[in-house]
Amino acid sequence: LFPGAKMGCFTFIKVMMILFNLAIFLSGGTLLGVGIWVKVDGESFLKIFGTLSSSILQVVNVAYLLIVIGAILLVIGFLGCYGAQKESKCLLMMFFSVVLIIFIAEVAAAVVALVFTGLAETLLTGLVTPLLKEKYGADEAFTQIWNVTMTEIHCCGLNNYTDFNNSYFYETHHSYPRQCCNMQEPCNSTVAAEMAVQVRVWGITTSCHPHPCGCLVQGCFKQILEEIRTNAGVAGGVAAGIAALEIAAMAVSMYLYCRLDEK
């Protein structure tokens, strides 16, 4: 009975592994297909989903994000499903390795995000600020993306309004984007500087507070960090759930891998 019970357990776990990874494979294919559709024909996507994806920013991000995630899920799903079905030690080990690499990358990204926020800001400043100076106002898609970002998040530039100093937009319009002045026009250096008063002067941590001109306008990097901190509980729960699934998937694949030696 004992060998039969072990074989029954092996078969059950094998079937669950196949079904679970088949679902992952199909989900990956669906995400990849939708991502390609959004990238190729974003206008149709907007018409169908309307306000759900009403900004160019969301369309561009969703397209690339879905393509990358879909491709990764396709690979993982194929390795796990086909490897379990064929009882291939090579494919199961590849599945384990891919999931382990993703898990390590996620942990590393979380550590970097928590510990090296200042470094991330410095790197982003070096990469994004030159693009803002060069492309904002000159490249329509790039400009639309930043307009939506600054309007929705209520921010200006990556760090503050000075990111647009000596930029194509400033040289052409002789003003800053109106988002830097809380949507007031004209947005000159005096108003932009007033809007960017350091919040520590007011003794609070948020960017909106009693002020004669309304909400103060910070850089988008700071605002995004604030949004992440606000939703840290939800993000942490989702991350923990994904990590648990990855650990379970690695444990199951390794169980099947080791049991194949006993067959």
Side-chain angles (χ1 to χ4, degrees):
L1 293 177
F2 184 71
K6 291 179 66 177
M7 185 56 64
C9 180
F10 174 85
T11 302
F12 173 77
I13 292 178
K14 173 184 171 180
V15 171
M16 290 298 100
M17 179 80 167
I18 292 173
L19 293 177
F20 177 72
N21 284 282
L22 179 60
I24 290 179
F25 182 83
L26 294 176
S27 299
T30 301
L31 291 177
L32 181 62
V34 173
I36 294 174
W37 168 41
V38 174
K39 183 69 176 69
V40 174
D41 191 13
E43 291 185 4
S44 297
F45 184 82
L46 286 175
K47 291 178 182 178
I48 293 175
F49 290 95
T51 56
L52 182 63
S53 299
S54 59
S55 70
I56 299 298
L57 170 67
Q58 290 173 319
V59 172
V60 173
N61 283 348
V62 165
Y64 288 111
L65 185 63
L66 291 182
I67 289 173
V68 171
I69 293 178
I72 293 174
L73 291 181
L74 272 177
V75 172
I76 293 176
F78 171 78
L79 292 175
C81 182
Y82 195 70
Q85 171 64 29
K86 295 298 183 180
E87 297 185 359
S88 169
K89 295 183 67 175
C90 177
L91 291 179
L92 287 173
M93 181 53 68
M94 289 178 64
F95 172 85
F96 176 87
S97 300
V98 171
V99 176
L100 179 61
I101 290 172
I102 294 173
F103 178 78
I104 293 174
E106 290 171 347
V107 173
V111 171
V112 170
L114 292 173
V115 179
F116 299 106
T117 303
L119 176 61
E121 183 175 8
T122 301
L123 292 175
L124 283 174
T125 299
L127 293 172
V128 176
T129 303
L131 290 177
L132 281 174
K133 294 182 181 297
E134 177 185 350
K135 291 189 174 184
Y136 186 84
D139 186 300
E140 183 177 352
F142 184 86
T143 303
Q144 180 65 16
I145 288 173
W146 271 94
N147 280 339
V148 173
T149 301
M150 293 189 294
T151 301
E152 293 295 324
I153 306 180
H154 189 78
C155 60
C156 170
L158 185 68
N159 298 294
N160 53 46
Y161 75 97
T162 60
D163 289 342
F164 294 100
N165 287 342
N166 303 316
S167 66
Y168 172 87
F169 183 86
Y170 190 85
E171 296 297 330
T172 304
H173 297 80
H174 303 291
S175 70
Y176 297 97
R178 58 178 183 167
Q179 291 88 344
C180 299
C181 296
N182 200 23
M183 306 308 284
Q184 296 183 45
E185 292 182 311
C187 185
N188 54 43
S189 58
T190 302
V191 179
E194 176 66 15
M195 290 294 177
V197 173
Q198 294 296 319
V199 292
R200 65 172 178 268
V201 172
W202 300 86
I204 58 178
T205 58
T206 60
S207 60
C208 293
H209 51 75
H211 185 273
C213 297
C215 294
L216 299 189
V217 183
Q218 297 186 71
C220 293
F221 184 82
K222 296 180 179 67
Q223 289 297 85
I224 292 173
L225 281 182
E226 189 66 28
E227 291 291 329
I228 293 174
R229 293 189 184 102
T230 302
N231 299 282
V234 175
V238 172
I242 293 175
L245 285 176
E246 290 170 340
I247 292 173
M250 288 188 290
V252 170
S253 64
M254 189 52 60
Y255 169 82
L256 294 177
Y257 179 89
C258 294
R259 283 297 310 276
L260 288 176
D261 289 329
E262 302 175 12
K263 295 190 64 179

